[in-house]
C-alpha cells in the first residue's frame, strides 16, 4: 500500500464510494425487477429521452425530474472513443448537498443506461446485502487459521468483449472477498475488446477503484497470451488468474495462498461450483473432485474415485489433480515464469490449461484442488448451442496439435485417431514448437509415459489395433455404431447413426475383449436383454462386456450370450403391424443368434493412420 500517496488515497476513497454506488444501483435495479439473480442485460431507460442544451448533437441525456444538476454535467473523458459518460461536476462546489450528487451514464449508441442514482452514506450497507451464493465449504474450513504472512497476490482477469455485468460482478466479488493485506493488486487485462462499454466507460470506472489497474493489449492475444501479459505486469508474489464470469466466495484466497506458501512449485485451484446459465440454479460441486482430460484433449472436472468419510480429516485436505481448469488458478509468480508461463503459441481459447497442467507435472511441479476455497462459474455445458465459427474450431485443433506434438510423444497417435480434423491439419502444416521443445529440454521434463503411469493411471490407454479399432460400420445398413444423442451413459442404448468421419464414433476392441468407446475410453459396449447398450467399463473386466470379432465373417460375438450383434433393418411399414408388439426400429442394435446375414456383418474402419 505504500506506493499510494495520502492525497491519492483520499481521492480514491471518494471514487471507490462512487464505484460502490454504481454496483449498488445495478443491484437495486435488479431487485426492482423482482428477480433475485439475473444475468440479463439492463433494460432500456424508463424515462423518455430529451434534448439537453449544450450537449453535442449525437448525444442524448436521460431527463429526470429529480436530476436538477444537468447544467453541471460534464463529459469526463474523450467522447471520441465511444461517445459516452456524463458525471455531475463537483468542481467549485462547496454545497454538501451537491456532493451527494446524482449522476448518469449513458451509452447513446445503444441507448443503454448503465447506472444512475445517489451516492449516500448507506451505500456501504446496501452493498453488503447484495446476494451471496450459498457457502458450500465444509464446516471445518471455517475454523482454519491462516498465517498472517501469506504471500501477496496479484489477481489477473483477462477479458475480450465481456458483458459489462459479468465483468463488474467478477471484479467486485474479488474485491469484496479478499483482505487487502493479501491482495496486492487486481489487473484487468483487455484482450483487444471492441465493444463500446469496455472502452472509456471501463477506464473511467476502474480509475475509481483503489488497487485496480487496467492494462490493454494492442493486439489480440488469446487467453494464454493475455494471461502472460497480465503476469508480466504483476508484482505480487502469487499470480491468481480469474476468468470473468467467476464469482469468488468469502475466504477463497487464503487457502490457496497457504498451499503456495508451503510449496512454491504447487499450482492450485479452488473447487468450482456451477451456476446454470438460464435458470441460475446453483449446483454445489461434491467433494472430492479433480480435473482430468481425455484423449480428445478436452478438459472436465470429475468426481475423484475415492470414498471419503465426511468427518475425516481428508474432507478438508487438498487433493492432487492431473489437470486444473482455467477458471481460477493460483501459481507462484517466479515458478510461473520458470516453468514457461502459458504457451504463447496457443491462440484464442482452448487447451491452454491442459498444456500448463501437463507441463507443470512433467517439469517439476504439482497441481491440487483446495476444498476450503470455493468459487462459482456459469456452467459452459448450458450455453445455448451457437454454431461455433469454423476458424475458432480450427484454432482449437491447432492448439491441441501443439500440446500433442510438444508433450505426448508416441501417445499423440491416440489423439489423432480420435480427432481426425487435427490429423488432417497436422498433415498439411506442423506447429512451430522449437522454443517449447527447447524449454522442455532446459527444464529436463519427464515424458508422457510417466504422466500416464504416475499421475493419471486411471486413464485407459487404448490399444487401437489395426482392424479392431475405428468406426464400427454396418455393411448391410450403412451406418456407424453411435450413442443416442442426448442420452447419457451408462445404460444408454446404442444405435446406428450416419458415420461422422470425425473420430467421435471411435471404438477400440482390446485384448481383454472390451469394446471401449468414447474419447476417454471409459465406456464399454454392453448388452441388457437383447439390447446393445453402453455401460461404465469394469475392473476386473465384466463377463457381460466381452466381445469377439470374427474377422472372416465380420460378426461381433457377445461372449456371454454367444449371440451376434445385428443392425435392425426395417422395410416400408406393413399395413397392419401386430398389436401390442414393440417393434425394433431401423438402426437399433440387438443381439440375435448368429447367421451369415449381412445385418450381422461389421467392419472396423480406421479413419486415419497417424
Ligand atoms: C446440477 O447437478 C445435477 C446432478 O448432478 C445435474 O443433473 C444438473 O444438470 C446440474 N445443474 C447444473 C446447473 O450444473
Ligand atoms: C519457429 O519459431 C522460432 C522462434 O519462435 C523462429 O526463430 C523460427 O524461425 C521459427 N521457425 C519457422 C520454421 O518458422
Amino acid at each position: 500500500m505504500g506506493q499510494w500517496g495520502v492525497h491519492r488515497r483520499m481521492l480514491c476513497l471518494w471514487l471507490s464510494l462512487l464505484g460502490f454506488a454504481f454496483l449498488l444501483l445495478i443491484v437495486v435495479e435488479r431487485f426492482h425487477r423482482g428477480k433475485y439473480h439475473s444475468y440479463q442485460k439492463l433494460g432500456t431507460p424508463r424515462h423518455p429521452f430529451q434534448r439537453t442544451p449544450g450537449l453535442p448533437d449525437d448525444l442524448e441525456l436521460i431527463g429526470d425530474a429529480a436530476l436538477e444538476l444537468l447544467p453541471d454535467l460534464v463529459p469526463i473523458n474523450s467522447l471520441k472513443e465511444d461517445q459516452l459518460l456524463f458525471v455531475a461536476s463537483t468542481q467549485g462546489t462547496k454545497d454538501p448537498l451537491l456532493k451527494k450528487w446524482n449522476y448518469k451514464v449513458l451509452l447513446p449508441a445503444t441507448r443503454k443506461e448503465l447506472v444512475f442514482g445517489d451516492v449516500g452514506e448507506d451505500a456501504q450497507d446496501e452493498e453488503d446485502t447484495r446476494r451471496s451464493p450459498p457457502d458450500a465449504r465444509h464446516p471445518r474450513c471455517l475454523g482454519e487459521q491462516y498465517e498472517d504472512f501469506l504471500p501477496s497476490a496479484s489477481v489477473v482477469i483477462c477479458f475480450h468483449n465481456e458483458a459489462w455485468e459479468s465483468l463488474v460482478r467478477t471484479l467486485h466479488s474479488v474485491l469484496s472477498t479478499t483482505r487487502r493485506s493479501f491482495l496486492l493488486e487486481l489487473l484487468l487485462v483487455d484482450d483487444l475488446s471492441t465493444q463500446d462499454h469496455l472502452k472509456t466507460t471501463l477506464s473511467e470506472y476502474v480509475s475509481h477503484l483503489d488497487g485496480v489497474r487496467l492494462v490493454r493489449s494492442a493486439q489480440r492475444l488469446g487467453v494464454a497470451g493475455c494471461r502472460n501479459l497480465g503476469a508480466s505486469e504483476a508484482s505480487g508474489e502469487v499470480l491468481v488468474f480469474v476468468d470473468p464470469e467467476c464469482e469468488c466466495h468469502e475466504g477463497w484466497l487464503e487457502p490457496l495462498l497457504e498451499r503456495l506458501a508451503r510449496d512454491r512449485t504447487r499450482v492450485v485451484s479452488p473447487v468450482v461450483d456451477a451456476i446454470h446459465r438460464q435458470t441460475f440454479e446453483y449446483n454445489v460441486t461434491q467433494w472430492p473432485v479433480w480435473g482430468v482430460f481425455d484423449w480428445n484433449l478436452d478438459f472436465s472436472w470429475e468426481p475423484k474415485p475415492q470414498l471419503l468419510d465426511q468427518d475425516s480429516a481428508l474432507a478438508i485436505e487438498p487433493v492432487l489433480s492431473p489437470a486444473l481448469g482455467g477458471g481460477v488458478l493460483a501459481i507462484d509468480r517466479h515458478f510461473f515464469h520458470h516453468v514457461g508461463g502459458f504457451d504463447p503459441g496457443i491462440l484464442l481459447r482452448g487447451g491452454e490449461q491442459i498444456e500448463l497442467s501437463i507441463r507443470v507435472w512433467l517439469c517439476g511441479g504439482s497441481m491440487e484442488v483446495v476444498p476450503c476455497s470455493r468459487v462459482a462459474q456459469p456452467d459452459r455445458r448450458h450455453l445455448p448451442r451457437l454454431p461455433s465459427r469454423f476458424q475458432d474450431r480450427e484454432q482449437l485443433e491447432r492448439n491441441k496439435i501443439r500440446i500433442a506434438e510438444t508433450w505426448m510423444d508416441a501417445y499423440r497417435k491416440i489423439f489423432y485417431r480420435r480427432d481426425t480434423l487435427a490429423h488432417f491439419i497436422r498433415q498439411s502444416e506442423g506447429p512451430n514448437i522449437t522454443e517449447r521443445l527447447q524449454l522442455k529440454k532446459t527444464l529436463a521434463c519427464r515424458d508422457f509415459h510417466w504422466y500416464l503411469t504416475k499421475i493419471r493411471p486411471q486413464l485407459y490407454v487404448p490399444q487401437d489395433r489395426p482392424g479392431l479399432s475405428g468406426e464400427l460400420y454396418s455393411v448391410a445398413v450403412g451406418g456407424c455404431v453411435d450413442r443416442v444423442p442426448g442420452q447419457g451413459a451408462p445404460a444408454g442404448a446404442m444405435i446406428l447413426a450416419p458415420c461422422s468421419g470425425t473420430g467421435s464414433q471411435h471404438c477400440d476392441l482390446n485384448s481383454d475383449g472390451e469394446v471401449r468407446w468414447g474419447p476417454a475410453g471409459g465406456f464399454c459396449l454392453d448388452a441388457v436383454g437383447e439390447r446393445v447398450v453402453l455401460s461404465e467399463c469394469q475392473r476386473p473386466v465384466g463377463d457381460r462386456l466381452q466381445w469377439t470379432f470374427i474377422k472372416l465373417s465380420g460378426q461381433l460375438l457377445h461372449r456371454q450370450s454367444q449371440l451376434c450383434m445385428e443392425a435392425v433393418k426395417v422395410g416400408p411399414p406393413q399395413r397392419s403391424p401386430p398389436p401390442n408388439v414393440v417393434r425394433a426400429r431401423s438402426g437399433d442394435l440387438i443381439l440375435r443368434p448368429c447367421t451369415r446375414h449381412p445385418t450381422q456383418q461389421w467392419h472396423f474402419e480406421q479413419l486415419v493412420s497417424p
Side-chain angles (χ1 to χ4, degrees):
M1 288 301 296
Q3 72 263 48
W4 306 89
V6 173
H7 293 293
R8 180 87 196 260
R9 289 187 60 168
M10 287 303 288
L11 185 63
C12 286
L13 184 67
W14 262 112
L15 295 180
S16 50
L17 267 179
L18 231 180
F20 270 125
F22 272 43
L23 193 76
L24 159 67
L25 284 154
I26 291 174
V27 172
V28 165
E29 180 97 339
R30 291 252 161 82
F31 277 115
H32 282 198
R33 276 151 204 258
K35 183 113 193 182
Y36 174 62
H37 183 177
S38 167
Y39 281 73
Q40 291 165 342
K41 293 227 180 312
L42 296 179
T44 48
R46 281 162 299 176
H47 304 287
F49 285 87
Q50 91 185 21
R51 282 261 168 251
T52 308
L55 289 178
D57 278 350
D58 55 340
L59 286 173
E60 290 173 302
L61 202 66
I62 297 165
D64 185 333
L67 191 72
E68 304 201 316
L69 300 160
L70 282 181
D72 269 340
L73 290 177
V74 290
I76 289 182
N77 222 318
S78 156
L79 291 175
K80 289 198 189 101
E81 201 177 356
D82 51 2
Q83 321 167 296
L84 95 113
L85 207 78
F86 286 75
V87 172
S89 164
T90 50
Q91 278 174 357
T93 304
K94 298 243 162 60
D95 186 347
L97 275 178
L98 277 186
K99 288 220 158 139
K100 190 182 166 178
W101 65 76
N102 288 312
Y103 59 90
K104 295 221 167 205
V105 183
L106 183 64
L107 285 169
T110 57
R111 298 202 165 179
K112 185 165 65 171
E113 187 184 6
L114 291 178
V115 193
F116 71 98
D118 304 298
V119 176
E121 290 298 317
D122 44 26
Q124 182 68 57
D125 295 344
E126 298 264 355
E127 170 62 21
D128 287 342
T129 66
R130 82 196 178 98
R131 77 195 165 76
S132 49
D135 191 341
R137 287 175 293 174
H138 192 280
R140 300 250 304 271
C141 294
L142 307 180
E144 287 287 290
Q145 294 294 317
Y146 297 103
E147 301 151 40
D148 273 336
F149 295 101
L150 292 179
S152 64
S154 294
V155 169
V156 175
I157 302 178
C158 281
F159 63 92
H160 171 79
N161 285 349
E162 190 63 39
W164 173 268
E165 293 85 359
S166 69
L167 187 61
V168 167
R169 191 187 304 116
T170 302
L171 186 102
H172 283 279
S173 91
V174 171
L175 293 178
S176 64
T177 53
T178 48
R179 294 217 332 244
R180 286 308 304 269
S181 47
F182 302 137
L183 182 67
L184 180 71
E185 60 189 349
L186 192 157
L187 294 172
L188 281 176
V189 189
D190 175 14
D191 189 8
L192 200 66
S193 296
T194 54
Q195 292 174 354
D196 286 347
H197 64 267
L198 298 173
K199 297 193 172 165
T200 321
T201 324
L202 186 64
S203 306
E204 186 55 37
Y205 187 82
V206 165
S207 68
H208 296 181
L209 300 171
D210 191 12
V212 182
R213 200 144 60 86
L214 181 59
V215 179
R216 299 206 191 252
S217 167
Q219 69 189 86
R220 183 89 161 91
L221 295 167
V223 177
C226 182
R227 287 180 164 192
N228 284 344
L229 175 62
S232 70
E233 294 276 329
S235 44
E237 287 172 76
V238 166
L239 301 168
V240 187
F241 299 104
V242 175
D243 262 356
E245 296 205 316
C246 284
E247 283 182 75
C248 302
H249 283 256
E250 201 56 47
W252 66 284
L253 184 61
E254 290 87 344
L256 301 179
L257 295 180
E258 194 228 21
R259 295 305 290 173
L260 296 181
R262 288 167 190 267
D263 181 348
R264 296 304 177 110
T265 66
R266 277 178 187 147
V267 181
V268 296
S269 161
V271 178
V272 182
D273 293 332
I275 303 174
H276 195 289
R277 274 185 196 267
Q278 267 105 45
T279 64
F280 312 114
E281 176 199 356
Y282 195 93
N283 245 21
V284 170
T285 299
Q286 291 307 311
W287 182 253
V289 67
W290 66 1
V292 296
F293 57 87
D294 58 29
W295 290 108
N296 268 353
L297 297 181
D298 287 323
F299 174 86
S300 58
W301 293 109
E302 240 182 32
K304 188 172 183 209
Q306 163 191 346
L307 287 175
L308 276 192
D309 175 3
Q310 273 298 298
D311 292 332
S312 93
L314 290 178
I316 58 167
E317 270 302 302
V319 298
L320 295 177
S321 180
L324 291 178
V328 175
L329 196 76
I331 182 170
D332 179 80
R333 185 162 57 89
H334 295 291
F335 181 66
F336 178 77
H337 293 303
H338 164 80
V339 85
F342 281 97
D343 180 352
I346 289 189
L347 303 180
L348 294 182
R349 160 154 235 134
E352 66 281 335
Q353 82 283 16
I354 293 179
E355 198 276 339
L356 182 73
S357 300
I358 299 176
R359 180 153 41 88
V360 162
W361 274 115
L362 294 186
C363 311
S366 64
M367 298 196 128
E368 50 181 50
V369 187
V370 182
C372 286
S373 170
R374 281 206 182 237
V375 300
Q377 192 174 25
D379 192 337
R380 292 185 193 282
R381 283 174 308 173
H382 299 288
L383 272 177
R385 283 214 152 270
L386 299 172
S388 66
R389 294 190 311 151
F390 186 71
Q391 304 97 288
D392 294 354
R393 171 112 170 78
E394 216 179 45
Q395 186 55 54
L396 175 62
E397 298 300 338
R398 290 205 169 85
N399 294 345
K400 291 179 174 180
I401 290 171
R402 277 187 82 81
I403 301 172
E405 296 291 324
T406 314
W407 299 109
M408 289 172 71
D409 313 322
Y411 291 96
R412 64 177 178 268
K413 292 181 179 178
I414 299 174
F415 160 69
Y416 287 124
R417 276 192 208 102
R418 280 154 186 75
D419 193 331
T420 49
L421 178 56
H423 171 77
F424 291 122
I425 292 175
R426 175 67 188 88
Q427 288 215 309
S428 59
E429 63 184 54
N432 184 352
I433 50 172
T434 323
E435 283 189 357
R436 302 311 279 183
L437 291 179
Q438 186 56 48
L439 176 77
K440 186 177 176 179
K441 209 164 162 184
T442 313
L443 296 176
C445 303
R446 295 184 157 99
D447 60 16
F448 199 65
H449 181 75
W450 181 86
Y451 180 86
L452 288 176
T453 48
K454 292 287 193 294
I455 307 306
R456 182 90 173 105
Q458 302 81 2
L459 181 63
Y460 170 70
V461 180
Q463 297 172 353
D464 286 345
R465 296 177 294 175
L468 296 173
S469 67
E471 292 181 339
L472 194 47
Y473 176 77
S474 163
V475 174
V477 182
C480 286
V481 174
D482 204 345
R483 290 168 65 166
V484 178
Q487 193 167 343
M494 297 300 276
I495 54 162
L496 275 190
C499 297
S500 72
T502 61
S504 68
Q505 297 162 331
H506 190 94
C507 298
D508 171 35
L509 176 55
N510 63 21
S511 51
D512 289 329
E514 298 169 308
V515 180
R516 292 274 186 161
W517 170 270
F523 295 113
C524 283
L525 277 200
D526 184 11
V528 172
E530 63 167 18
R531 293 305 306 253
V532 176
V533 301
L534 198 62
S535 298
E536 203 105 33
C537 303
Q538 296 164 9
R539 280 283 168 271
V541 178
D543 289 341
R544 244 174 46 194
L545 306 181
Q546 290 182 311
W547 303 76
T548 303
F549 186 63
I550 304 164
K551 276 191 182 163
L552 209 59
S553 60
Q555 288 163 318
L556 189 63
L557 179 75
H558 186 238
R559 288 191 202 168
Q560 194 188 45
S561 63
Q562 289 293 307
L563 297 172
C564 283
M565 182 165 88
E566 180 172 309
V568 176
K569 189 179 185 184
V570 180
Q574 292 160 2
R575 217 172 271 164
S576 52
N580 303 329
V581 170
V582 182
R583 291 179 58 101
R585 285 164 304 173
S586 235
D588 281 352
L589 297 177
I590 51 177
L591 293 181
R592 283 287 140 84
C594 298
T595 66
R596 289 297 172 110
H597 198 272
T599 51
Q600 292 190 3
Q601 273 180 33
W602 300 94
H603 185 60
F604 281 98
E605 298 228 45
Q606 214 146 38
L607 295 166
V608 297
S609 46

